[in-house]
Amino acid sequence: MTDILFVLLSFFAIIGALGMVSLHQPVHSALSLILTIIALSGLFALLSASFLFMVQIIIYAGAILTLFIFIIMFLNVKEANLPKEPNKNLTLFLGSLALLPLNFLILRAFYKMPLLTAPLEHDFGKIKPLGMELFTKWLLPFELISILLLVALIGAVVFGRKDEA
Amino acid sequence: MIANSLFMYIAVGMILFSIGLLGVISRKNIFVIYMSIELMLNAINLIFVALSNYHHDMGSQVMAMLVIAIAAAEAGVFLSLIIVLYRRKKSLDSDIFRTLSQKEAV
């Protein structure tokens, strides 16, 4: 059962990613990226990371990509504003050939890894132990991330302001 | 059988990461480049979560959450930058943004 789920989810994730890279219109790319994100959240659920499953759907599919599609609609992109890519398929093909050795190297390093068979704790990946971990061992990175978010907020406001020359 | 081997998860993550890198190096549409960066972050998240399951350690799930927060911050800055540049240049071609690196930018 989990095998069928895994194969289906990874199939949809890879199909969505390929569509995202190869489609011409940005809206179509964003929609296929949403397919990939939701399939990846299913894979997180298979790995018993239930909190990350929710975060992935709520934050990525719900907030980031919705904001993204909103921006694409807001900019009102016409066909003439899109870049012309006459030999897009050729560059995609050559690029994928160039990326093959990297994949081969990394996958060969992981080939001998054993299976994930040992039973997990019953609350593995739930929100409470994850929060305990986050606020004890990872407190300093958490605070630094909050500063980073503040800086990004200020940066977005500064960029978005109208410039009075 | 397939679903509980670490290798399969790493393979899916690497394929997604390679597709994202491919999008960054071979497309010109600035939106597609941004989405490819998001895809690479997601692939790394998948590998993090798979390794967390493998080691029975929740630290890498926390790391995946931090990566999601960084992606959110990046989305805000990147999208406002795209809006400003699109208003000035009326184009989504990433080659036009080369003026950002030149001194006598128009």
Side-chain angles (χ1 to χ4, degrees):
Chain A
M1 186 60 198
T2 50
D3 285 357
I4 300 169
L5 271 180
F6 175 79
V7 169
L8 274 180
L9 287 172
S10 46
F11 174 74
F12 280 122
I14 292 171
I15 287 293
L18 284 176
M20 191 273 290
V21 169
S22 60
L23 286 175
H24 184 64
Q25 290 281 342
V27 178
H28 298 168
S29 298
L31 289 178
S32 30
L33 186 62
I34 286 184
L35 176 67
T36 302
I37 298 283
I38 290 178
L40 273 179
S41 75
L43 284 180
F44 287 173
L46 274 187
L47 283 167
S48 70
S50 54
F51 181 61
L52 274 178
F53 162 72
M54 286 188 297
V55 164
Q56 178 90 356
I57 287 184
I58 293 173
I59 294 185
Y60 255 113
I64 296 182
L65 283 171
T66 311
L67 172 73
F68 194 68
I69 292 180
F70 176 74
I71 295 286
I72 296 176
M73 301 284 184
F74 170 74
L75 285 184
N76 195 11
V77 179
K78 302 280 194 316
E79 179 64 35
N81 299 330
L82 292 175
K84 289 170 195 61
E85 293 166 299
N87 41 14
K88 179 181 73 180
N89 289 330
L90 179 67
T91 51
L92 282 176
F93 177 67
L94 289 180
S96 56
L97 278 190
L99 284 172
L100 274 181
L102 172 74
N103 273 287
F104 177 72
L105 206 62
I106 291 183
L107 292 184
R108 207 188 59 175
F110 280 98
Y111 187 63
K112 295 278 183 207
M113 289 300 223
L115 304 175
L116 307 161
T117 46
L120 295 162
E121 301 94 50
H122 70 284
D123 58 350
F124 184 80
K126 296 272 188 337
I127 185 167
K128 190 178 172 191
L130 201 64
M132 293 301 284
E133 186 97 0
L134 181 62
F135 287 110
T136 52
K137 249 202 288 187
W138 294 78
L139 190 59
L140 181 65
F142 178 73
E143 298 293 337
L144 290 179
I145 285 288
S146 68
I147 294 177
L148 176 78
L149 283 170
L150 181 67
V151 171
L153 187 68
I154 295 173
V157 170
V158 170
F159 279 138
R161 176 182 68 169
K162 287 224 166 59
D163 40 16
E164 309 98 14
Chain B
M1 183 61 195
I2 311 173
N4 51 15
S5 85
L6 179 63
F7 175 71
M8 292 309 289
Y9 286 99
I10 302 278
V12 173
M14 271 312 289
I15 290 171
L16 291 179
F17 185 84
S18 307
I19 293 173
L21 196 55
L22 186 64
V24 172
I25 61 180
S26 65
R27 288 298 300 266
K28 275 185 172 177
N29 195 332
I30 194 86
F31 274 129
V32 177
I33 291 177
Y34 166 72
M35 282 189 278
S36 306
I37 295 172
E38 291 286 325
L39 182 64
M40 285 199 280
L41 289 173
N42 267 294
I44 292 301
N45 264 351
L46 177 64
I47 295 179
F48 266 134
V49 176
L51 284 175
S52 135
N53 200 331
Y54 176 72
H55 284 297
H56 291 219
D57 181 15
M58 226 127 34
S60 39
Q61 290 194 16
V62 177
M63 188 76 95
M65 275 176 61
L66 300 186
V67 169
I68 289 178
I70 290 173
E74 180 226 340
V77 176
F78 203 104
L79 289 176
S80 57
L81 196 60
I82 288 180
I83 289 179
V84 173
L85 288 171
Y86 184 77
R87 275 195 195 138
R88 300 206 173 178
K89 301 284 184 192
K90 289 290 170 206
S91 170
L92 287 179
D93 197 339
S94 61
D95 281 348
I96 288 180
F97 301 147
R98 203 180 277 162
T99 51
L100 285 176
S101 69
Q102 291 165 354
K103 257 184 197 162
E104 60 278 6
V106 184

Short mmCIF file of all heavy atoms in Angstrom, two decimals, chain B residues 15-64:
data_model
loop_
_atom_site.label_atom_id
_atom_site.label_comp_id
_atom_site.label_asym_id
_atom_site.label_seq_id
_atom_site.Cartn_x
_atom_site.Cartn_y
_atom_site.Cartn_z
N ILE B 15 16.54 13.90 -8.03
CA ILE B 15 15.95 14.20 -9.34
C ILE B 15 15.29 15.57 -9.31
O ILE B 15 15.47 16.40 -10.22
CB ILE B 15 14.94 13.10 -9.73
CG1 ILE B 15 15.67 11.80 -10.05
CG2 ILE B 15 14.13 13.52 -10.94
CD1 ILE B 15 14.77 10.63 -10.22
N LEU B 16 14.56 15.84 -8.23
CA LEU B 16 13.90 17.15 -8.14
C LEU B 16 14.92 18.27 -8.07
O LEU B 16 14.76 19.32 -8.70
CB LEU B 16 12.97 17.19 -6.93
CG LEU B 16 11.74 16.32 -7.02
CD1 LEU B 16 10.94 16.45 -5.77
CD2 LEU B 16 10.91 16.73 -8.19
N PHE B 17 16.00 18.05 -7.29
CA PHE B 17 17.04 19.08 -7.19
C PHE B 17 17.68 19.33 -8.54
O PHE B 17 17.94 20.49 -8.91
CB PHE B 17 18.10 18.63 -6.18
CG PHE B 17 19.14 19.66 -5.90
CD1 PHE B 17 18.91 20.64 -4.97
CD2 PHE B 17 20.33 19.66 -6.59
CE1 PHE B 17 19.85 21.60 -4.72
CE2 PHE B 17 21.28 20.62 -6.35
CZ PHE B 17 21.04 21.59 -5.41
N SER B 18 17.92 18.25 -9.32
CA SER B 18 18.54 18.44 -10.63
C SER B 18 17.62 19.19 -11.57
O SER B 18 18.08 20.02 -12.36
CB SER B 18 18.89 17.10 -11.25
OG SER B 18 19.63 16.36 -10.35
N ILE B 19 16.30 18.90 -11.49
CA ILE B 19 15.37 19.62 -12.36
C ILE B 19 15.37 21.10 -11.99
O ILE B 19 15.35 21.97 -12.87
CB ILE B 19 13.97 19.01 -12.26
CG1 ILE B 19 13.97 17.61 -12.84
CG2 ILE B 19 12.97 19.83 -13.01
CD1 ILE B 19 12.69 16.87 -12.64
N GLY B 20 15.46 21.39 -10.68
CA GLY B 20 15.51 22.79 -10.27
C GLY B 20 16.77 23.49 -10.76
O GLY B 20 16.71 24.61 -11.27
N LEU B 21 17.89 22.80 -10.64
CA LEU B 21 19.16 23.39 -11.11
C LEU B 21 19.13 23.59 -12.62
O LEU B 21 19.60 24.62 -13.15
CB LEU B 21 20.30 22.46 -10.72
CG LEU B 21 21.71 22.98 -10.77
CD1 LEU B 21 21.80 24.23 -9.95
CD2 LEU B 21 22.65 21.95 -10.22
N LEU B 22 18.49 22.65 -13.32
CA LEU B 22 18.33 22.75 -14.77
C LEU B 22 17.52 23.98 -15.13
O LEU B 22 17.86 24.71 -16.07
CB LEU B 22 17.63 21.48 -15.24
CG LEU B 22 17.44 21.24 -16.70
CD1 LEU B 22 18.80 21.10 -17.30
CD2 LEU B 22 16.66 19.99 -16.89
N GLY B 23 16.45 24.22 -14.35
CA GLY B 23 15.65 25.41 -14.62
C GLY B 23 16.44 26.69 -14.40
O GLY B 23 16.29 27.64 -15.15
N VAL B 24 17.29 26.69 -13.36
CA VAL B 24 18.07 27.91 -13.11
C VAL B 24 19.06 28.15 -14.22
O VAL B 24 19.22 29.28 -14.68
CB VAL B 24 18.78 27.81 -11.75
CG1 VAL B 24 19.73 28.96 -11.57
CG2 VAL B 24 17.79 27.84 -10.63
N ILE B 25 19.73 27.10 -14.71
CA ILE B 25 20.79 27.35 -15.68
C ILE B 25 20.29 27.45 -17.09
O ILE B 25 21.01 27.95 -17.94
CB ILE B 25 21.92 26.29 -15.60
CG1 ILE B 25 21.38 24.92 -15.91
CG2 ILE B 25 22.59 26.33 -14.28
CD1 ILE B 25 22.42 23.86 -15.84
N SER B 26 19.07 27.00 -17.43
CA SER B 26 18.74 26.98 -18.85
C SER B 26 17.48 27.75 -19.20
O SER B 26 17.11 27.74 -20.36
CB SER B 26 18.63 25.55 -19.35
OG SER B 26 17.56 24.93 -18.72
N ARG B 27 16.81 28.39 -18.25
CA ARG B 27 15.66 29.19 -18.63
C ARG B 27 15.98 30.67 -18.48
O ARG B 27 16.90 31.03 -17.74
CB ARG B 27 14.46 28.85 -17.75
CG ARG B 27 13.85 27.51 -18.02
CD ARG B 27 13.31 27.39 -19.41
NE ARG B 27 12.27 28.36 -19.70
CZ ARG B 27 10.99 28.12 -19.56
NH1 ARG B 27 10.57 26.96 -19.13
NH2 ARG B 27 10.09 29.04 -19.85
N LYS B 28 15.21 31.51 -19.18
CA LYS B 28 15.44 32.95 -19.10
C LYS B 28 14.33 33.67 -18.37
O LYS B 28 14.51 34.81 -17.97
CB LYS B 28 15.55 33.52 -20.51
CG LYS B 28 16.92 33.42 -21.09
CD LYS B 28 16.91 34.13 -22.40
CE LYS B 28 18.28 34.25 -22.97
NZ LYS B 28 18.18 34.89 -24.28
N ASN B 29 13.17 33.04 -18.26
CA ASN B 29 12.04 33.68 -17.58
C ASN B 29 12.34 33.78 -16.10
O ASN B 29 12.64 32.80 -15.45
CB ASN B 29 10.82 32.81 -17.81
CG ASN B 29 9.55 33.51 -17.48
OD1 ASN B 29 9.55 34.40 -16.64
ND2 ASN B 29 8.50 33.15 -18.15
N ILE B 30 12.28 34.99 -15.55
CA ILE B 30 12.71 35.21 -14.17
C ILE B 30 11.78 34.52 -13.19
O ILE B 30 12.21 34.03 -12.14
CB ILE B 30 12.83 36.72 -13.90
CG1 ILE B 30 13.59 37.00 -12.61
CG2 ILE B 30 11.51 37.39 -13.83
CD1 ILE B 30 15.03 37.03 -12.79
N PHE B 31 10.51 34.37 -13.55
CA PHE B 31 9.58 33.65 -12.68
C PHE B 31 9.94 32.17 -12.59
O PHE B 31 9.88 31.57 -11.53
CB PHE B 31 8.15 33.79 -13.21
CG PHE B 31 7.47 35.02 -12.76
CD1 PHE B 31 6.85 35.85 -13.65
CD2 PHE B 31 7.42 35.33 -11.42
CE1 PHE B 31 6.21 36.99 -13.23
CE2 PHE B 31 6.77 36.47 -10.99
CZ PHE B 31 6.17 37.29 -11.90
N VAL B 32 10.30 31.60 -13.74
CA VAL B 32 10.64 30.18 -13.73
C VAL B 32 11.92 29.95 -12.94
O VAL B 32 12.06 28.94 -12.23
CB VAL B 32 10.75 29.64 -15.17
CG1 VAL B 32 11.16 28.21 -15.18
CG2 VAL B 32 9.43 29.78 -15.85
N ILE B 33 12.85 30.91 -13.01
CA ILE B 33 14.08 30.77 -12.24
C ILE B 33 13.76 30.78 -10.75
O ILE B 33 14.26 29.95 -9.98
CB ILE B 33 15.06 31.90 -12.61
CG1 ILE B 33 15.56 31.68 -14.02
CG2 ILE B 33 16.22 31.94 -11.66
CD1 ILE B 33 16.46 32.75 -14.50
N TYR B 34 12.87 31.69 -10.34
CA TYR B 34 12.49 31.75 -8.93
C TYR B 34 11.83 30.44 -8.49
O TYR B 34 12.14 29.89 -7.44
CB TYR B 34 11.56 32.94 -8.71
CG TYR B 34 10.86 32.87 -7.40
CD1 TYR B 34 11.57 33.10 -6.24
CD2 TYR B 34 9.53 32.51 -7.32
CE1 TYR B 34 10.94 33.00 -5.03
CE2 TYR B 34 8.91 32.41 -6.12
CZ TYR B 34 9.62 32.65 -4.98
OH TYR B 34 9.01 32.52 -3.79
N MET B 35 10.93 29.92 -9.33
CA MET B 35 10.25 28.68 -8.94
C MET B 35 11.22 27.51 -8.90
O MET B 35 11.05 26.59 -8.11
CB MET B 35 9.11 28.40 -9.91
CG MET B 35 7.92 29.26 -9.63
SD MET B 35 6.52 28.79 -10.57
CE MET B 35 6.83 29.59 -12.09
N SER B 36 12.26 27.55 -9.74
CA SER B 36 13.24 26.49 -9.68
C SER B 36 14.02 26.53 -8.38
O SER B 36 14.35 25.48 -7.81
CB SER B 36 14.21 26.60 -10.85
OG SER B 36 13.50 26.63 -12.04
N ILE B 37 14.28 27.76 -7.88
CA ILE B 37 14.96 27.86 -6.59
C ILE B 37 14.08 27.26 -5.49
O ILE B 37 14.54 26.52 -4.62
CB ILE B 37 15.32 29.33 -6.30
CG1 ILE B 37 16.33 29.82 -7.31
CG2 ILE B 37 15.89 29.47 -4.92
CD1 ILE B 37 16.58 31.29 -7.21
N GLU B 38 12.78 27.57 -5.55
CA GLU B 38 11.85 26.99 -4.57
C GLU B 38 11.87 25.47 -4.65
O GLU B 38 11.82 24.77 -3.64
CB GLU B 38 10.44 27.49 -4.83
CG GLU B 38 10.24 28.94 -4.54
CD GLU B 38 10.21 29.21 -3.05
OE1 GLU B 38 9.69 28.36 -2.33
OE2 GLU B 38 10.71 30.26 -2.63
N LEU B 39 11.91 24.96 -5.89
CA LEU B 39 11.91 23.50 -6.06
C LEU B 39 13.16 22.88 -5.47
O LEU B 39 13.10 21.82 -4.84
CB LEU B 39 11.81 23.17 -7.55
CG LEU B 39 11.75 21.70 -7.86
CD1 LEU B 39 10.50 21.10 -7.29
CD2 LEU B 39 11.80 21.46 -9.33
N MET B 40 14.30 23.56 -5.62
CA MET B 40 15.54 23.02 -5.03
C MET B 40 15.44 23.00 -3.52
O MET B 40 15.84 22.01 -2.87
CB MET B 40 16.74 23.84 -5.47
CG MET B 40 17.14 23.60 -6.89
SD MET B 40 18.81 24.14 -7.19
CE MET B 40 18.55 25.87 -7.39
N LEU B 41 14.88 24.06 -2.93
CA LEU B 41 14.72 24.07 -1.47
C LEU B 41 13.82 22.93 -1.02
O LEU B 41 14.07 22.27 0.00
CB LEU B 41 14.15 25.41 -1.02
CG LEU B 41 15.09 26.59 -1.12
CD1 LEU B 41 14.36 27.87 -0.82
CD2 LEU B 41 16.22 26.44 -0.15
N ASN B 42 12.77 22.67 -1.80
CA ASN B 42 11.86 21.58 -1.44
C ASN B 42 12.51 20.22 -1.53
O ASN B 42 12.26 19.35 -0.70
CB ASN B 42 10.63 21.62 -2.34
CG ASN B 42 9.55 22.40 -1.72
OD1 ASN B 42 9.01 22.01 -0.71
ND2 ASN B 42 9.25 23.54 -2.28
N ALA B 43 13.36 20.04 -2.54
CA ALA B 43 14.04 18.76 -2.69
C ALA B 43 14.98 18.53 -1.50
O ALA B 43 15.05 17.42 -0.94
CB ALA B 43 14.82 18.73 -4.00
N ILE B 44 15.66 19.60 -1.08
CA ILE B 44 16.55 19.48 0.08
C ILE B 44 15.74 19.16 1.33
O ILE B 44 16.16 18.37 2.18
CB ILE B 44 17.36 20.78 0.24
CG1 ILE B 44 18.32 20.91 -0.92
CG2 ILE B 44 18.14 20.78 1.52
CD1 ILE B 44 19.27 19.77 -1.04
N ASN B 45 14.53 19.74 1.42
CA ASN B 45 13.66 19.44 2.56
C ASN B 45 13.29 17.97 2.58
O ASN B 45 13.25 17.36 3.65
CB ASN B 45 12.38 20.25 2.45
CG ASN B 45 12.47 21.50 3.25
OD1 ASN B 45 13.41 21.66 4.00
ND2 ASN B 45 11.50 22.36 3.09
N LEU B 46 12.99 17.42 1.41
CA LEU B 46 12.64 15.99 1.36
C LEU B 46 13.80 15.14 1.84
O LEU B 46 13.61 14.20 2.62
CB LEU B 46 12.26 15.61 -0.07
CG LEU B 46 11.94 14.15 -0.26
CD1 LEU B 46 10.72 13.77 0.53
CD2 LEU B 46 11.74 13.82 -1.70
N ILE B 47 15.02 15.49 1.43
CA ILE B 47 16.18 14.72 1.87
C ILE B 47 16.38 14.86 3.37
O ILE B 47 16.68 13.88 4.06
CB ILE B 47 17.43 15.13 1.06
CG1 ILE B 47 17.23 14.76 -0.39
CG2 ILE B 47 18.66 14.44 1.58
CD1 ILE B 47 18.36 15.13 -1.27
N PHE B 48 16.16 16.07 3.90
CA PHE B 48 16.27 16.28 5.34
C PHE B 48 15.29 15.41 6.10
O PHE B 48 15.65 14.75 7.09
CB PHE B 48 15.99 17.74 5.69
CG PHE B 48 17.19 18.61 5.77
CD1 PHE B 48 17.21 19.84 5.16
CD2 PHE B 48 18.30 18.20 6.47
CE1 PHE B 48 18.31 20.65 5.23
CE2 PHE B 48 19.41 19.00 6.55
CZ PHE B 48 19.41 20.23 5.93
N VAL B 49 14.04 15.37 5.63
CA VAL B 49 13.02 14.61 6.36
C VAL B 49 13.31 13.10 6.27
O VAL B 49 13.15 12.37 7.25
CB VAL B 49 11.62 14.96 5.84
CG1 VAL B 49 10.57 14.12 6.50
CG2 VAL B 49 11.33 16.40 6.12
N ALA B 50 13.79 12.65 5.10
CA ALA B 50 14.13 11.24 4.97
C ALA B 50 15.27 10.88 5.91
O ALA B 50 15.24 9.82 6.57
CB ALA B 50 14.52 10.93 3.53
N LEU B 51 16.26 11.77 6.04
CA LEU B 51 17.38 11.47 6.95
C LEU B 51 16.93 11.53 8.40
O LEU B 51 17.47 10.80 9.24
CB LEU B 51 18.53 12.43 6.69
CG LEU B 51 19.32 12.11 5.44
CD1 LEU B 51 20.34 13.16 5.20
CD2 LEU B 51 19.99 10.78 5.59
N SER B 52 15.94 12.39 8.68
CA SER B 52 15.43 12.45 10.05
C SER B 52 14.76 11.13 10.41
O SER B 52 14.92 10.62 11.52
CB SER B 52 14.45 13.60 10.16
OG SER B 52 13.31 13.23 10.84
N ASN B 53 14.02 10.56 9.46
CA ASN B 53 13.40 9.26 9.71
C ASN B 53 14.46 8.17 9.85
O ASN B 53 14.32 7.26 10.65
CB ASN B 53 12.47 8.94 8.54
CG ASN B 53 11.45 7.90 8.90
OD1 ASN B 53 11.71 7.08 9.75
ND2 ASN B 53 10.31 7.95 8.28
N TYR B 54 15.52 8.31 9.09
CA TYR B 54 16.57 7.28 9.10
C TYR B 54 17.33 7.28 10.41
O TYR B 54 17.66 6.22 10.96
CB TYR B 54 17.51 7.55 7.93
CG TYR B 54 18.70 6.65 7.85
CD1 TYR B 54 18.55 5.33 7.49
CD2 TYR B 54 19.97 7.13 8.12
CE1 TYR B 54 19.62 4.50 7.41
CE2 TYR B 54 21.05 6.30 8.04
CZ TYR B 54 20.88 4.99 7.68
OH TYR B 54 21.95 4.17 7.61
N HIS B 55 17.62 8.48 10.95
CA HIS B 55 18.42 8.56 12.17
C HIS B 55 17.58 8.62 13.44
O HIS B 55 18.14 8.73 14.52
CB HIS B 55 19.30 9.82 12.13
CG HIS B 55 20.47 9.67 11.23
ND1 HIS B 55 21.47 8.77 11.44
CD2 HIS B 55 20.80 10.33 10.11
CE1 HIS B 55 22.35 8.86 10.48
NE2 HIS B 55 21.98 9.80 9.66
N HIS B 56 16.24 8.63 13.31
CA HIS B 56 15.34 8.76 14.47
C HIS B 56 15.67 10.02 15.26
O HIS B 56 15.70 10.02 16.48
CB HIS B 56 15.43 7.55 15.40
CG HIS B 56 14.87 6.34 14.81
ND1 HIS B 56 14.14 5.42 15.51
CD2 HIS B 56 14.90 5.88 13.55
CE1 HIS B 56 13.77 4.45 14.72
NE2 HIS B 56 14.22 4.72 13.52
N ASP B 57 15.96 11.10 14.54
CA ASP B 57 16.35 12.33 15.20
C ASP B 57 15.51 13.45 14.61
O ASP B 57 15.39 13.57 13.40
CB ASP B 57 17.85 12.59 14.95
CG ASP B 57 18.29 13.85 15.64
OD1 ASP B 57 17.54 14.33 16.50
OD2 ASP B 57 19.38 14.35 15.32
N MET B 58 14.92 14.26 15.50
CA MET B 58 14.02 15.28 14.99
C MET B 58 14.74 16.57 14.62
O MET B 58 14.10 17.52 14.17
CB MET B 58 12.94 15.57 16.02
CG MET B 58 11.61 15.63 15.38
SD MET B 58 10.36 14.61 16.07
CE MET B 58 10.62 14.52 17.74
N GLY B 59 16.05 16.62 14.80
CA GLY B 59 16.79 17.83 14.49
C GLY B 59 16.68 18.23 13.04
O GLY B 59 16.56 19.41 12.71
N SER B 60 16.67 17.24 12.14
CA SER B 60 16.63 17.63 10.73
C SER B 60 15.24 18.05 10.31
O SER B 60 15.10 18.80 9.34
CB SER B 60 17.15 16.51 9.86
OG SER B 60 16.72 15.29 10.32
N GLN B 61 14.19 17.62 11.05
CA GLN B 61 12.87 18.19 10.75
C GLN B 61 12.82 19.66 11.15
O GLN B 61 12.22 20.48 10.45
CB GLN B 61 11.79 17.42 11.48
CG GLN B 61 11.60 16.04 10.92
CD GLN B 61 10.33 15.42 11.41
OE1 GLN B 61 9.48 16.10 11.94
NE2 GLN B 61 10.23 14.12 11.24
N VAL B 62 13.50 19.99 12.28
CA VAL B 62 13.58 21.40 12.66
C VAL B 62 14.32 22.18 11.59
O VAL B 62 13.94 23.30 11.21
CB VAL B 62 14.26 21.53 14.03
CG1 VAL B 62 14.42 22.98 14.40
CG2 VAL B 62 13.45 20.84 15.07
N MET B 63 15.39 21.57 11.06
CA MET B 63 16.15 22.22 9.99
C MET B 63 15.27 22.45 8.76
O MET B 63 15.34 23.52 8.13
CB MET B 63 17.33 21.32 9.62
CG MET B 63 18.29 21.94 8.68
SD MET B 63 19.30 23.12 9.48
CE MET B 63 20.69 22.11 9.86
N ALA B 64 14.40 21.47 8.45
CA ALA B 64 13.50 21.65 7.30
C ALA B 64 12.54 22.80 7.55
O ALA B 64 12.24 23.58 6.64
CB ALA B 64 12.74 20.36 7.05
#
